[in-house]
Amino acid sequence: MAHSHVEDDPTHLSFVAFGEKLKELSGGDMTVTIFPNGQLGGEREVAEQVLNGALDISMVGGQVIETFFPRYAVTNIPYLFRSFEHVQHFIKSDIAYKYLLDASADEGFKGLWFETCGPRSFYTKKPINKPEDLDGLKMRVPESQMSIDTVKLMGGQPTPLSSTEVYSALQQSVIDGAENNFVFYVQSRHFEVAKYFNEDEHSMPPNVVIMSQYTWDDLSDQEQQWVTEAAAYARDEQMRLFVEQTNANKAKAKDLGIEIVTVDKAPFVEKTKSILENEMKNPDRANLIKAIQELQ
């Protein structure tokens, strides 16, 4: 297993939980080796290794996975999820498995579980209170067309960069800001070079843990059952840890010099509503969108 996060991050800790549960269920027959901190490459690189069978499992960001299975772009639609609780409910729902996690065999991978990673918001060197405050600002986005379109509609200049390049790019004013969840913002210490965290909460795409279809197909029915059970355990553990770390980081925000800006989301929703309207015209995505919207 490989991922690009640090070792005290909920992603890594949930990978550890997955390995421990899998070893327990299999009586020691199945074990896991984890490569954290981008040791085997960034999210795109490790995802490609999973698809070609060189790596068994990796975590892929919710905005990167759409390049490998376009339907995943639905989870990145601005303001599709009504709240953090809504996306948490989706992660554990049959909808997530039917339309996404279990639907990508032809693409070379199987989704094992979704990670909750909280609302994504803009963080900058000056406060953002309305979309117009983004006019002309160079904003880092992942390599995701949905993310690029979102920033463009709000008036910013989307600048695709690897997450590992963001700190230096902010420090050197190559970019004016970025967007991510609060846990990542604090753990990566991006607050040192962009102290305003503006809670527009424009998207909440969950990250996804994927397994190579080659690996999955090579497992016995019993082994697949163990992996599935361990994955559900790891999913719930990651969700618990993420909420815990979010609350802890918010509590120390003032001491870290972070300015949390509460914004009126309505103008941001209005600026980006055309994305949802256009996605609803895609027959491959409309049913999934409706199912998510109807999820209570």
Side-chain angles (χ1 to χ4, degrees):
M1 301 177 77
H3 64 82
S4 58
H5 289 196
V6 294
E7 290 172 72
D8 60 351
D9 183 86
T11 289
H12 181 76
L13 297 175
S14 70
F15 275 28
V16 172
F18 172 79
E20 291 173 346
K21 178 59 71 171
L22 190 58
K23 185 176 181 179
E24 173 193 324
L25 291 169
S26 68
D29 287 346
M30 300 183 77
T31 58
V32 169
T33 303
I34 305 169
F35 296 88
N37 295 309
Q39 290 179 35
L40 301 186
E43 288 178 8
R44 178 178 293 277
E45 288 81 11
V46 293
E48 289 171 347
Q49 291 171 45
V50 167
L51 266 61
N52 65 34
L55 180 66
D56 296 310
I57 300 171
S58 75
M59 186 282 291
V60 190
Q63 296 164 305
V64 176
I65 190 66
E66 68 185 63
T67 63
F68 299 103
F69 189 24
R71 192 186 299 164
Y72 271 94
V74 166
T75 65
N76 196 24
I77 294 173
Y79 301 104
L80 174 63
F81 293 108
R82 297 182 297 274
S83 64
F84 187 42
E85 291 71 28
H86 185 197
V87 76
Q88 287 177 302
H89 192 187
F90 164 74
I91 284 170
K92 300 182 73 169
S93 72
D94 291 341
I95 297 166
Y97 289 85
K98 174 184 176 182
Y99 287 96
L100 295 170
L101 296 177
D102 293 336
S104 56
D106 291 343
E107 308 301 326
F109 68 92
K110 173 183 173 59
L112 291 183
W113 74 86
F114 272 120
E115 292 188 338
T116 182
C117 53
R120 296 180 74 97
S121 292
F122 295 114
Y123 49 91
T124 49
K125 298 180 180 183
K126 68 174 188 176
I128 303 295
N129 292 290
K130 55 188 184 299
E132 289 73 19
D133 292 336
L134 288 165
D135 284 352
L137 294 187
K138 298 186 293 293
M139 303 298 295
R140 179 269 171 177
V141 293
E143 295 178 57
S144 152
Q145 191 58 50
M146 187 78 70
S147 301
I148 289 169
D149 292 343
T150 298
V151 171
K152 278 184 179 177
L153 287 169
M154 291 184 184
Q157 295 181 17
T159 306
L161 281 177
S162 167
S163 60
T164 58
E165 300 176 72
V166 173
Y167 189 101
S168 61
L170 283 166
Q171 192 174 41
Q172 297 165 20
S173 297
V174 173
I175 56 175
D176 300 301
E179 53 88 54
N180 218 307
N181 63 70
F182 196 77
V183 169
F184 179 84
Y185 169 67
V186 172
Q187 285 185 338
S188 60
R189 304 196 68 82
H190 288 177
F191 62 86
E192 295 177 346
V193 283
K195 76 171 186 176
Y196 293 97
F197 191 86
N198 312 283
E199 292 190 315
D200 63 290
E201 300 185 336
H202 50 270
S203 68
M204 304 188 197
N207 295 335
V208 60
V209 178
I210 64 173
M211 171 178 271
S212 171
Q213 195 64 41
Y214 295 110
T215 302
W216 178 257
D217 290 343
D218 199 42
L219 300 177
S220 67
D221 290 346
Q222 178 63 78
E223 288 169 336
Q224 289 181 354
Q225 183 178 332
W226 287 332
V227 167
T228 300
E229 187 174 337
Y233 175 77
R235 175 200 65 201
D236 293 348
E237 186 69 359
Q238 190 276 338
M239 189 178 296
R240 180 187 68 79
L241 289 165
F242 187 88
V243 171
E244 185 180 282
Q245 288 196 14
T246 297
N247 292 338
N249 286 333
K250 287 282 180 77
K252 64 183 182 182
K254 187 174 181 181
D255 291 339
L256 294 174
I258 296 168
E259 298 280 349
I260 298 177
V261 180
T262 303
V263 306
D264 177 8
K265 297 176 191 174
F268 292 88
V269 174
E270 183 65 24
K271 283 280 189 182
T272 57
K273 68 179 184 179
S274 62
I275 292 180
L276 175 59
E277 293 168 353
N278 289 333
E279 290 296 311
M280 285 297 292
K281 297 173 185 176
N282 184 329
D284 184 55
R285 303 180 186 184
N287 288 338
L288 173 55
I289 293 169
K290 289 176 184 176
I292 292 174
Q293 289 175 325
E294 292 169 1
L295 195 61
Q296 299 302 314

